[in-house]
Structure formats: C-alpha cells, structure tokens
Amino acid sequence: MTKKRDSRGRVRDYPKEYKEYHGKPKQKEERASRNAARKKVSDWYKAHGKKLSSKKDVDHKDRNPRNNGSGNLRTMDRGANRAKSNRDRAKK
C-alpha cells in the first residue's frame, strides 16, 4: 500500500502525487530554483557572520520562484510566507 498519513493525519499517496504533479519538469525547475534561492541567502548570511534560521523561509517578492535576483529575495517567518502563498492560491 502506497498511501500514508502525513503530519496532519491526512491520507496521502506520495508516489501518485509525484507522478502527477511534483515530477513534472516545470515543478522540478521551480523546486531547484527555490533551493538555489535558499542557498544564495544562506551564503549571504554566512558571509556576514550570521545563520539563517530554520524557522525562516526565503520569499520571492514578485512571487516568481525562478527570479533569484538579490533585490527579489527576502527572509520571512515560515508561517507568514505560507499564509501569503495560501492567500495567493485562494485568489485564483
């Protein structure tokens, strides 16, 4: 059985989700770009003698995960960033 419960207790079929959504080329590119943005910000923090908290997310101001320009990235509390994303999705 491939279905498992996530941290909220919801039943999920992760292999199916990956096949139908997360494994698509566009999603892979966007995930790689988000990871690159986190590394870029983390490296900046290290260069300035600080540490990027695991409770912070890197936010793309223009909401384009492929735009990793320095002026487009900022750190936000994880909850605030996720809430912003949820509000954006609700508008669609």
Side-chain angles (χ1 to χ4, degrees), residues 64-79:
N64 177 1
R66 294 184 184 161
N67 181 0
N68 288 335
S70 299
N72 188 46
L73 301 176
R74 64 181 169 197
T75 58
M76 291 181 77
D77 287 330
R78 181 169 286 166

Side-chain angles (χ1 to χ4, degrees), residues 31-45:
R31 184 168 52 249
S33 184
R34 285 190 300 269
N35 290 340
R38 178 135 184 115
K39 179 162 180 14
K40 183 176 184 176
V41 171
S42 179
D43 289 347
W44 184 91
Y45 270 74

Side-chain angles (χ1 to χ4, degrees), residues 42 45-46 48-54 56:
S42 179
Y45 270 74
K46 285 179 189 174
H48 290 83
K50 300 176 182 180
K51 184 179 177 191
L52 180 60
S53 170
S54 62
K56 297 278 188 177

Side-chain angles (χ1 to χ4, degrees), residues 1 20-21 26 28 40 42 44 50-51 53 55 57 60 69 81-82 87:
M1 180 174 180
E20 293 179 358
Y21 180 73
K26 179 182 176 190
K28 286 182 177 182
K40 183 176 184 176
S42 179
W44 184 91
K50 300 176 182 180
K51 184 179 177 191
S53 170
K55 295 180 181 180
D57 272 350
H60 292 81
N81 194 26
R82 306 273 166 98
R87 283 192 307 272

